[in-house]
């Protein structure tokens, strides 16, 4: 009997250990606390999520630790009259996040177990929230399509992204005839707005996310441009969802994977929502992309590179002696020079390139499918343009040269910041060597001392 | 510790090619109990190993 008791005790201890490990390893943050907030137990995920919020470096009290993101927690619990139950369930709390200070989103639940004991669940849902936003975007986009039935083209694509058949909607929206069959979907874009690599990226993203959406210039068969939206979706993901999808899928060979492309003519649809979006991603002064838009786009490009390496270069541009221009002619003239720089950049780079103003007089362009040589060539052309053409301003023509640093993505490029840093080193070399010049990574390395 | 408060400090020091010697307050979760500690992070400029010293406060 005695040995039985010992065994049972041993079993219990083992069970305890297993239970502890189960809670310890749970991929969500769990906290048990007293009703005054004092933490009794906490698992590592909860500690990891809460430590950055703690002011005193401690985690002794739940309410104190979360005071920045949920200041009303204590009073919420106090107002909760029932002896037990859910005080809050999956509330989304924006929190300051990682090393670069980007916002995170936590999901937070609080359960009252009894008069002395509460339990909290904490989870980082930033990624899910982003995905949800994308889905809402998709939904509103589909709604928009289905209500404005005269202005979209439905196009069936094969697995390589080539048009498989002609229909009237293609003729109506794009002006293309039967000869469009067999050609890549790039035929609907202006020449400099897409590359073969980008076509493959879009197909891959459609496969991966269920859809891929982009707004921008589209081109009709006669060369005229229109502002349009294009959505690509894998056909099998849509099949059976609705009559609309079924109709599109009906013609497809069931055995072969293909895609649907929907091109929507958005001309003249500059509604408030679109303008608000424009304001969020555009630099107010120059109308080009802003820093945030640049980082968003650059991160997408870098992810694409990591999936499938191909040339990708960054050109970093800084106006020479810009402070002198401001000091000599005043800020309004300085602003005109900046707008001039934006215009010249807009005319020099392709539409597929991501151009942005990322600092006071600092600009960046990210060039997909461009290796170091071609990036340096474009940069040199840009530099020469600024040297030859002064900016037209109210104070007369103002000459403003630029220094340019070029960097190209390779295996060692771990982040957008790292790429920017390399371009910045090249830019520094260009400045150091007398300005009004282009430097690549080699120059930055050769830089003495 | 795989977060920006600890791991990132090592990464930042490595990226800046600097040695690291930093002490900070932290909480470990030993068997689910929050335990207040001090961490000392040490890394040489090109040393292969990095060190985390844990000081359990009285």
């Amino acid at each position: 009997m005695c040995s039985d008791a010992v065994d049972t005790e041993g079993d219990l201890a083992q069970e305890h250990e297993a239970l502890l490990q189960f809670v310890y390893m749970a991929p969500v943050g769990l906290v048990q606390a007293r009703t005054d907030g004092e933490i009794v137990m906490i698992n590592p995920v909860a500690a990891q999520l809460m430590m950055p919020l703690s002011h005193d470096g401690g985690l002794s009290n739940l309410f104190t630790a979360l005071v920045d993101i949920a200041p009303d927690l204590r009073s919420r619990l106090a107002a909760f009259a029932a002896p037990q139950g859910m005080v809050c369930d999956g509330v989304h709390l924006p929190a300051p996040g990682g090393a670069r200070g980007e916002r995170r989103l936590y999901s937070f639940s609080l359960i009252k177990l009894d008069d002395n004991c509460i339990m909290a669940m904490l989870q980082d849902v930033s990624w899910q929230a982003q995905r949800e936003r994308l889905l809402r975007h998709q939904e509103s986009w589909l709604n928009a399509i289905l209500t404005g039935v005269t202005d979209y083209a439905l196009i069936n694509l094969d697995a390589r992204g080539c048009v498989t058949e002609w229909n009237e909607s293609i003729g109506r929206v794009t002006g293309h005839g039967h000869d469009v069959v067999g050609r890549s979907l790039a035929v609907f874009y202006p020449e400099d707005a897409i590359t073969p690599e980008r076509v493959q990226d879009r197909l891959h993203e459609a496969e991966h996310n269920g859809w891929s959406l982009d707004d921008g210039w589209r081109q009709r068969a006669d060369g005229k441009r229109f502002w349009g939206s294009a959505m690509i979706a894998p056909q099998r993901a849509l099949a059976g969802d609705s009559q609309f999808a079924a109709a599109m899928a009906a013609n497809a060979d069931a055995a072969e994977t293909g895609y649907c492309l929907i091109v929507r003519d958005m001309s003249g649809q500059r509604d408030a929502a679109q303008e608000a979006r424009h304001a969020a991603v555009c630099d107010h002064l120059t109308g080009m992309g802003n820093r945030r838009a640049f980082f968003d786009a650059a991160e997408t490009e870098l992810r694409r590179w990591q999936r499938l390496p191909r040339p990708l270069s960054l050109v970093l541009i800084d106006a020479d002696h810009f402070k002198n221009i401001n000091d000599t002619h005043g800020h309004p003239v300085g602003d005109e020079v900046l707008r001039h720089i934006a215009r010249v950049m807009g005319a020099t780079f392709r539409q597929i390139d991501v151009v942005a103003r990322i600092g006071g007089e600092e600009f960046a362009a990210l060039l997909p499918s461009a290796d170091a040589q071609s990036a340096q060539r474009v940069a040199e052309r840009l530099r020469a343009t600024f040297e030859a053409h002064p900016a037209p301003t109210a104070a007369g023509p103002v000459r403003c040269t630029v220094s340019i640093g070029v960097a190209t993505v390779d295996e060692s490029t771990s982040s957008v910041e790292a790429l920017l840093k390399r371009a910045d080193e090249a830019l520094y070399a260009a400045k150091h060597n007398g300005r009004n010049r282009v430097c690549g990574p080699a120059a930055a390395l050769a830089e003495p001392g | 510790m795989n977060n920006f408060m600890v791991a990132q400090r090592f990464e930042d020091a490595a990226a800046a090619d600097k040695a690291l010697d930093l002490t900070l307050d932290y909480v470990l979760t030993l068997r689910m109990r929050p335990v207040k500690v001090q961490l000392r992070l040490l890394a040489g400029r090109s040393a292969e190993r990095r060190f985390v010293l844990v000081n359990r406060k009285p």
Side-chain angles (χ1 to χ4, degrees):
Chain A
M1 289 308 269
C2 186
S3 72
D4 270 6
V6 169
D7 272 359
T8 316
E9 224 165 77
D11 285 352
L12 256 180
Q14 248 180 11
E15 224 169 86
H16 263 126
E17 197 58 38
L19 186 61
L20 183 71
Q21 196 174 358
F22 174 71
V23 183
Y24 198 79
M25 299 302 286
V28 294
L30 297 170
V31 180
Q32 202 186 88
R34 295 213 302 255
T35 35
D36 63 0
E38 190 180 313
I39 295 176
V40 181
M41 288 197 276
I42 182 167
N43 78 345
V45 173
Q48 173 128 354
L49 294 176
M50 284 166 56
M51 269 309 283
L53 304 171
S54 162
H55 287 275
D56 59 356
L59 286 181
S60 49
N61 189 293
L62 180 70
F63 302 143
T64 312
L66 294 177
V67 72
D68 283 350
I69 62 170
D72 61 344
L73 222 47
R74 197 184 292 268
S75 54
R76 271 211 211 192
L77 180 65
F80 189 81
Q84 62 188 59
M86 209 75 161
V87 181
C88 57
D89 186 4
V91 181
H92 281 188
L93 304 173
R100 282 182 285 135
E102 75 266 36
R103 305 291 291 178
R104 311 293 304 173
L105 197 65
Y106 290 177
S107 165
F108 178 79
S109 302
L110 187 66
I111 306 149
K112 183 174 171 185
L113 298 178
D114 56 41
D115 279 342
N116 300 311
C117 196
I118 54 173
M119 209 168 145
M121 198 184 92
L122 202 59
Q123 206 175 355
D124 186 336
V125 292
S126 315
W127 184 83
Q128 287 90 330
Q130 193 186 358
R131 193 158 171 93
E132 231 169 76
R133 228 175 16 246
L134 287 177
L135 286 174
R136 271 203 302 277
H137 190 175
Q138 176 191 29
E139 199 177 324
S140 61
W141 200 86
L142 280 174
N143 279 340
I145 278 192
L146 294 168
T147 48
V149 287
T150 52
D151 60 350
Y152 65 89
L154 300 181
I155 302 153
N156 282 319
L157 304 173
D158 65 16
R160 292 169 306 131
C162 294
V163 180
T164 58
E165 73 219 51
W166 185 87
N167 63 44
E168 265 180 37
S169 73
I170 298 179
R172 197 174 62 237
V173 173
T174 74
H176 278 286
H178 290 271
D179 59 329
V180 78
V181 173
R183 299 180 66 182
S184 158
L185 66 93
V187 72
F188 304 114
Y189 288 74
E191 209 177 312
D192 63 349
I194 198 156
T195 59
E197 290 86 0
R198 178 59 61 84
V199 170
Q200 294 310 312
D201 286 337
R202 292 248 174 260
L203 297 181
H204 174 82
E205 281 154 16
E207 196 74 51
H208 191 72
N209 299 329
W211 57 287
S212 165
L213 176 64
D214 74 313
D215 291 356
W217 291 108
R218 305 288 172 261
Q219 187 162 294
R220 291 172 52 89
D222 59 10
K224 276 200 189 126
R225 294 182 176 193
F226 63 95
W227 190 262
S229 233
M231 186 167 90
I232 304 174
Q235 284 197 331
R236 61 168 190 286
L238 273 175
D241 264 7
S242 65
Q243 273 190 329
F244 164 72
M248 289 204 298
N251 292 333
D253 180 351
E256 202 198 351
T257 339
Y259 300 87
C260 304
L261 166 66
I262 304 164
V263 176
R264 182 166 172 243
D265 186 341
M266 312 264 286
S267 312
Q269 291 207 11
R270 297 218 159 263
D271 57 21
Q274 240 177 319
E275 282 190 8
R277 221 183 66 184
H278 189 257
V281 297
C282 280
D283 174 52
H284 184 67
L285 177 70
T286 61
M288 67 203 310
N290 63 15
R291 196 176 166 84
R292 179 185 138 189
F294 176 79
F295 273 89
D296 283 354
E299 264 156 28
T300 304
E301 278 307 321
L302 204 62
R303 271 200 302 278
R304 286 172 175 159
W305 191 93
Q306 280 153 356
R307 183 180 68 81
L308 192 69
R310 84 293 293 267
L312 175 62
S313 296
L314 173 66
V315 174
L316 200 61
I317 299 142
D318 194 88
D320 293 331
H321 300 297
F322 187 73
K323 192 173 173 301
N324 288 355
I325 295 174
N326 272 338
D327 290 348
T328 313
H329 303 286
H331 284 277
V333 170
D335 288 350
E336 284 182 89
V337 172
L338 292 176
R339 279 195 287 265
H340 169 71
I341 293 176
R343 270 196 308 276
V344 171
M345 283 180 70
T348 305
F349 291 106
R350 303 164 299 170
Q351 279 200 36
I352 195 172
D353 300 332
V354 180
V355 290
R357 180 181 179 208
I358 61 168
E361 63 261 24
E362 194 171 44
F363 300 82
L366 192 70
L367 281 44
S369 306
D371 59 17
Q373 266 188 333
S374 55
Q376 292 219 25
R377 240 185 345 261
V378 182
E380 177 51 34
R381 200 162 75 231
L382 190 70
R383 185 208 60 76
T385 309
F386 284 116
E387 188 177 31
H389 301 282
T393 75
V398 173
R399 186 166 173 271
C400 178
T401 60
V402 296
S403 300
I404 303 181
V406 178
T408 299
V409 175
D410 59 27
E411 289 79 13
S412 71
T413 313
S414 55
S415 65
V416 176
E417 286 76 11
L419 178 65
L420 208 57
K421 185 163 171 271
R422 290 225 321 270
D424 205 41
E425 282 160 8
L427 175 63
Y428 178 80
K431 290 270 183 202
H432 194 72
N433 291 329
R435 296 185 168 83
N436 188 23
R437 67 190 62 228
V438 177
C439 281
L445 285 178
E447 174 67 12
Chain B
M1 291 186 206
N2 192 17
N3 58 21
F4 80 85
M5 297 184 70
V6 181
Q8 192 65 38
R9 306 288 177 102
F10 282 112
E11 295 307 320
D12 290 348
D17 194 24
K18 280 187 180 147
L20 177 70
D21 182 355
L22 174 81
T23 305
L24 70 154
D25 293 327
Y26 204 76
V27 175
L28 294 181
T29 50
L30 303 172
R31 298 183 74 85
M32 302 281 288
R33 256 179 291 278
V35 179
K36 224 172 163 174
V37 298
Q38 270 191 330
L39 299 183
R40 186 164 169 198
L41 316 183
L42 294 170
R45 271 184 62 193
S46 49
E48 237 176 71
R49 280 169 202 269
R50 297 159 167 185
F51 295 90
V52 178
L53 278 63
V54 182
N55 177 19
R56 233 178 131 156
K57 288 179 184 172

